[in-house]
């Protein structure tokens, strides 16, 4: 399983990419809707992953979104 970092320099990478695409096309971010679907993994699978800061997973055992802080996993309690 490949681990793709979602943040770089404390900025979401998808936002950086989206902004560059919008700028190139002359569009603004207003009116653009996007979503991200994470396939669920078990708590056991999550705990077997390397600690890579910024990694997001959907823990299907807990039914919660979890993020890696570089020191371990934390459950996201609010957005």
């Amino acid at each position: 399983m490949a681990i793709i970092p979602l943040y770089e320099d404390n900025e979401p990478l998808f936002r950086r990419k989206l902004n560059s695409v919008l700028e190139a096309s002359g569009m603004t971010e207003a009116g653009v809707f996007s979503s991200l679907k994470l396939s669920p993994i078990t708590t056991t699978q999550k705990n077997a992953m390397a600690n890579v800061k910024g990694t997001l997973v959907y823990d299907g055992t807990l039914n919660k979104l979890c993020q890696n802080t570089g020191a371990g996993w934390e459950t996201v309690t609010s957005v």
Side-chain angles (χ1 to χ4, degrees):
M1 175 183 338
I3 297 174
I4 302 170
L6 298 177
Y7 286 86
E8 183 175 279
D9 300 327
N10 293 323
E11 179 182 6
L13 289 176
F14 75 89
R15 169 104 32 224
R16 186 177 295 175
K17 182 66 173 174
L18 175 63
N19 287 339
S20 67
V21 169
L22 292 174
E23 287 173 14
S25 65
M27 297 174 65
T28 64
E29 197 171 331
V32 175
F33 297 93
S34 63
S35 64
L36 172 66
K37 182 179 187 302
L38 299 173
S39 297
I41 63 172
T42 67
T43 300
T44 302
Q45 290 171 311
K46 177 186 74 177
N47 291 337
M49 295 172 68
N51 280 334
V52 178
K53 185 177 180 179
T55 303
L56 286 176
V57 298
Y58 183 78
D59 187 320
T61 306
L62 301 174
N63 291 320
K64 301 280 184 182
L65 182 64
C66 299
Q67 69 176 356
N68 193 293
T69 63
W73 292 99
E74 290 186 2
T75 301
V76 177
T77 55
S78 64
V79 178

